[in-house]
Amino acid sequence: NIVDYMGGVEIEITGNEAAYLKRYPLSPTQTTPRMNRAGTYLFTGRAAVIYMRMRKGNTGGDFMRTARVRKVLSILADKCRVMTYDQAKALLDSVVENSTKTNMSGDEMLKALDQAFSIRSAVIEELRLPQEDARKPITYAGMSVQDIDWAKCREDMAEFLRVSYLV
């Protein structure tokens, strides 16, 4: 619903992603233009969720899936940068209308909106853990898993927090 409220998200996809998405039951109106091959498409909310959740269509498994989620969320964050306060409030109202349950009061949500609105021009920094140099694929009990260097992950996180700007 948020993606649709914000007018969709424009995403560049690979040939493998397009081939996978074409096999999924997307209606012709869920991407503009209609899903065909590699290229840039405007995704509706349902299509964007399918894109974010797909585990196939390229190599990388869950790492690529979470990268797709970050890509869509970054696109939405960029769209929020140019919103007026009234547009941001209308978006919040839309989210609240479509949510069935929350532990936040209306006042808390408005305070969160005010905070988010005040930092909307902030640069989004991200760190994916484990990073490439802190993991290696192994087979355990017949399954493909990752052997994680937890000490390296802690070092990477500490360095990220040391040099990053935190709001």
Side-chain angles (χ1 to χ4, degrees), residues 16-70:
N16 287 340
E17 290 169 334
Y20 178 82
L21 289 168
K22 282 172 49 176
R23 291 190 309 266
Y24 208 90
L26 291 176
S27 79
T29 61
Q30 290 179 317
T31 62
T32 305
R34 183 179 184 162
M35 182 60 56
N36 189 17
R37 59 181 177 269
T40 301
Y41 296 86
L42 180 66
F43 282 65
T44 65
R46 181 172 182 275
V49 170
I50 292 168
Y51 167 77
M52 289 187 291
R53 296 189 61 165
M54 64 187 221
R55 293 177 185 266
K56 298 183 177 164
N58 58 14
T59 59
D62 277 345
F63 292 118
M64 289 307 298
R65 183 178 55 83
T66 59
R68 285 190 293 275
V69 171
R70 289 191 307 274

